Amino acid sequence: MQVAPSLHRLGTGSVNAYLVEEGGEVTIVDAGVPAYWADLPRELGEMGRTLDDVRAMVLTHGHSDHIGFAERFRRERSMTPWIHELDAAMARGEVKPQGQQSGKIRIGSLVGFLLFGLRRGALRTTPLAEVATFGDGATLDVPGAPRVIHVPGHSPGSAALHFAGLDALLVGDAFATLAVTTGAVGPRIAPFSSDPAEALASLERIEGVEARWALPGHGEPWTGGLGAAVAAVRARVADGAPVG
């Protein structure tokens, strides 16, 4: 799906990965589920690009639904994906996510999400053999030159990526616009966050970012401004919905 001329999405909203193009070169942000590998050439083609135009992969965090085809990409394209240093061990499969909280659950929505993953190879996600790491505030030398904003809480090394030249903030799971556990839509603390209170506090780090597009790992693009998105999340938490 085309979000904007230089921004495309892999996936239909349940689990998202993104393609960012600058000067004819592409950065992949997140790797969704393994089956997205088969969708990648077609989506690149919609941008007028091929796999040979991909120069980098950057992961917003180390959860399995974001590293999907990353190891295959690393192996077949001889490029090492980037991730925040605090999630590197998770991406390599050396540690597991801790203390994840699902919030409320609607069985139909959760089962649908799990079936989506099963059909697209989520149980066959392979940890990365090698990663490159970055820290908070880094500007990455990849197409689009995103600035890293560390937003811990969903995971220790969760990061948002500000592509200022494209007027876009790729938020990973710093917040979601879809709760995969209930089907509810709108900005919210993403289900399966390890520390929802920390995730909420981290939103202060992105609420002042000027970006037309806020692109989450789960759900549809948000175009109402980061300040409004963060305010909506805080309101939900104040109403007693800390997750999802």
Side-chain angles (χ1 to χ4, degrees):
M1 177 186 117
Q2 184 184 62
V3 177
S6 296
L7 288 168
H8 279 233
R9 183 181 77 187
L10 284 169
T12 59
S14 181
V15 177
N16 300 324
Y18 295 95
L19 308 177
V20 179
E21 185 269 336
E22 182 187 54
E25 298 182 329
V26 176
T27 296
I28 301 172
V29 177
D30 286 334
V33 289
Y36 284 5
W37 177 254
D39 300 329
L40 181 58
R42 180 176 65 250
E43 198 62 41
L44 285 165
E46 292 293 325
M47 304 176 79
R49 301 289 166 238
T50 71
L51 275 169
D52 289 336
D53 297 314
V54 176
R55 294 290 176 265
M57 173 183 285
V58 183
L59 304 173
T60 61
H61 61 292
H63 287 173
S64 62
D65 57 341
H66 289 255
I67 69 169
F69 63 83
E71 173 59 13
R72 183 169 182 179
F73 168 85
R74 186 201 67 81
R75 187 176 65 251
E76 295 193 13
R77 305 304 298 175
S78 299
M79 296 181 195
T80 303
W82 290 85
I83 194 167
H84 190 280
E85 56 197 1
L86 294 181
D87 268 17
M90 188 187 304
R92 293 191 299 260
E94 297 164 4
V95 300
K96 300 294 185 184
Q98 300 296 314
Q100 291 179 297
Q101 300 181 39
S102 63
K104 293 182 179 179
I105 291 174
R106 292 180 180 168
I107 294 300
S109 296
L110 181 58
V111 169
F113 176 65
L114 294 175
L115 287 175
F116 171 90
L118 287 171
R119 291 168 180 154
R120 289 159 178 81
L123 291 182
R124 299 189 302 276
T125 299
T126 304
L128 282 147
E130 181 183 3
V131 295
T133 61
F134 53 73
D136 182 40
T139 297
L140 303 182
D141 185 17
V142 303
R147 178 174 63 90
V148 174
I149 306 173
H150 185 210
V151 283
H154 185 70
S155 70
S158 284
L161 304 171
H162 186 206
F163 290 85
L166 299 179
D167 208 12
L169 183 71
L170 277 64
V171 302
D173 286 3
F175 68 84
T177 58
L178 169 70
V180 297
T181 49
T182 66
V185 298
R188 62 199 60 241
I189 297 296
F192 307 114
S193 291
S194 291
D195 190 335
E198 185 178 38
L200 180 65
S202 290
L203 295 181
E204 183 178 353
R205 308 203 71 210
I206 63 172
E207 67 178 320
V209 174
E210 295 290 336
R212 178 182 179 187
W213 304 101
L215 303 180
H218 305 278
E220 296 301 314
W222 175 265
T223 58
L226 270 300
V230 172
V233 176
R234 287 174 177 153
R236 284 189 53 77
V237 173
D239 286 341
V243 178

